[in-house]
Amino acid sequence: STYQIQIVRSLWNKWFIQLFYSLAVLIFIAGAVFIFIRRKHNKKMEQLNRKKLENELQIRTLHSKVLPHFTKNVLTAIASFAMDDNRKAGKYISLFARFSELTLANSDKNYNTLEEEMKYIRTYLELEEMRFRNKLQYEITIENDVDMQTFVPAMALHTYCDNAIRHGLVNKKGPGKLNLTIKRNGGETIISVRDNGIGRKRSAELGTHGNQLGLKLIQQQVDFYNSQNEWKIKQEINDLHDEQGKATGTLIELYIPDGYRFGSN
């Protein structure tokens, strides 16, 4: 009947209106949630970008603090070589020019390949070996299965070697030895820097231990990138001792898992 049809239409209209309002409410809630998540994501990205910038600036600070001190030592060594052996002085100047060129090329990088870092560190260690003459020897061992395109934190190898020389080997009586080893173990690349120096405790007692700024900045850089990776880089520092408990040097190790990502690499 007409009456029944009107009732059905009335119920249909009420149901449609309720459905419309329900959908509108759901769309509003979904929009609000989307905006909230979006803002939260943007805020997180701003924080990450700010942290990344802070890390980059800190690495620049490390460059600005370490290199002038090193340059001063280089100039002193050049003067010494010039008095004794002009050919050695010429070689040393050539090495330092190469080192400066690599420094400038890497100055804007927060991470680098092992291949590029090794070019840098070999030049650095050759300069230091010449400067210390018979007091410093170094050995570099890279196993055949190491991927030289593996990314590492910028300045990490230089920081480890610089600390070993300045704080462990400079005040050692007799020749100092530095071993840089890069190898694979399971699903990670391991970088090790071992010295036979006086150890961190004795270095601190002599006042040559410094504030370890370089190591702290590398760890901060690692912590930042670790927050964006499932597998984590580890940096370990161990004091070495003989059977009598006497300090025999320091070992620094950096563990980089396969597939680790630095930013968009």
Side-chain angles (χ1 to χ4, degrees), residues 13-132:
N13 289 336
K14 288 181 179 178
W15 179 84
F16 181 79
I17 292 171
Q18 288 177 349
L19 177 62
F20 175 79
Y21 280 119
S22 296
L23 287 174
V25 170
L26 287 175
I27 292 172
F28 175 79
I29 293 173
V33 171
F34 174 79
I35 292 172
F36 173 78
I37 293 175
R38 185 74 176 178
R39 287 179 176 175
K40 188 174 181 180
H41 174 75
N42 289 341
K43 185 176 181 180
K44 183 178 180 180
M45 290 304 298
E46 287 177 2
Q47 291 174 341
L48 286 174
N49 289 332
R50 190 181 305 114
K51 186 65 176 176
K52 180 181 179 181
L53 179 60
E54 289 175 358
N55 274 271
E56 290 174 349
L57 291 174
Q58 287 173 332
I59 293 298
R60 307 294 180 275
T61 301
L62 180 57
H63 272 280
S64 67
K65 287 180 177 291
V66 170
L67 296 179
H69 175 79
F70 181 65
T71 301
K72 172 189 169 186
N73 292 336
V74 166
L75 294 175
T76 302
I78 290 172
S80 175
F81 283 129
M83 293 177 65
D84 301 331
D85 190 330
N86 288 335
R87 292 183 64 183
K88 281 189 177 180
K91 180 181 178 181
Y92 199 75
I93 292 171
S94 178
L95 274 173
F96 182 60
R98 173 63 174 157
F99 179 79
S100 300
E101 179 185 352
L102 291 170
T103 298
L104 289 173
N106 296 322
S107 62
D108 61 343
K109 297 179 180 179
N110 218 26
Y111 52 89
N112 211 346
T113 64
L114 267 174
E115 182 179 13
E116 292 301 318
E117 285 295 293
M118 287 309 302
K119 290 178 183 177
Y120 189 72
I121 204 64
R122 286 181 191 276
T123 307
Y124 167 75
L125 288 175
E126 192 170 354
L127 280 166
E128 289 294 72
E129 184 181 50
M130 285 188 68
R131 182 166 74 93
F132 285 102

Side-chain angles (χ1 to χ4, degrees), residues 57-232:
L57 291 174
Q58 287 173 332
I59 293 298
R60 307 294 180 275
T61 301
L62 180 57
H63 272 280
S64 67
K65 287 180 177 291
V66 170
L67 296 179
H69 175 79
F70 181 65
T71 301
K72 172 189 169 186
N73 292 336
V74 166
L75 294 175
T76 302
I78 290 172
S80 175
F81 283 129
M83 293 177 65
D84 301 331
D85 190 330
N86 288 335
R87 292 183 64 183
K88 281 189 177 180
K91 180 181 178 181
Y92 199 75
I93 292 171
S94 178
L95 274 173
F96 182 60
R98 173 63 174 157
F99 179 79
S100 300
E101 179 185 352
L102 291 170
T103 298
L104 289 173
N106 296 322
S107 62
D108 61 343
K109 297 179 180 179
N110 218 26
Y111 52 89
N112 211 346
T113 64
L114 267 174
E115 182 179 13
E116 292 301 318
E117 285 295 293
M118 287 309 302
K119 290 178 183 177
Y120 189 72
I121 204 64
R122 286 181 191 276
T123 307
Y124 167 75
L125 288 175
E126 192 170 354
L127 280 166
E128 289 294 72
E129 184 181 50
M130 285 188 68
R131 182 166 74 93
F132 285 102
R133 308 197 183 195
N134 297 325
K135 188 175 176 62
L136 172 65
Q137 297 176 344
Y138 72 88
E139 182 178 339
I140 296 175
T141 304
I142 303 176
E143 295 188 352
N144 292 331
D145 56 348
V146 170
D147 181 4
M148 297 305 291
Q149 296 307 306
T150 298
F151 283 94
V152 296
M155 291 290 288
L157 273 69
H158 178 271
T159 298
Y160 298 157
C161 293
D162 180 66
N163 272 270
I165 294 170
R166 285 204 294 154
H167 307 310
L169 299 177
V170 167
N171 292 298
K172 174 182 171 62
K173 293 181 180 179
K177 184 71 178 289
L178 184 149
N179 293 89
L180 169 58
T181 304
I182 305 176
K183 63 182 181 179
R184 296 277 303 159
N185 183 27
E188 58 188 0
T189 300
I190 304 174
I191 300 171
S192 305
V193 175
R194 178 193 296 265
D195 68 71
N196 66 340
I198 61 175
R200 291 188 295 171
K201 181 179 178 181
R202 181 56 180 156
S203 178
E205 291 172 351
L206 294 174
T208 63
H209 193 247
N211 58 11
Q212 301 294 287
L213 174 64
L215 293 175
K216 291 176 183 176
L217 290 183
I218 297 301
Q219 186 60 57
Q220 288 177 19
Q221 188 182 14
V222 165
D223 290 342
F224 169 71
Y225 287 113
N226 276 350
S227 67
Q228 303 173 57
N229 283 270
E230 179 181 359
W231 303 105
K232 313 299 182 185

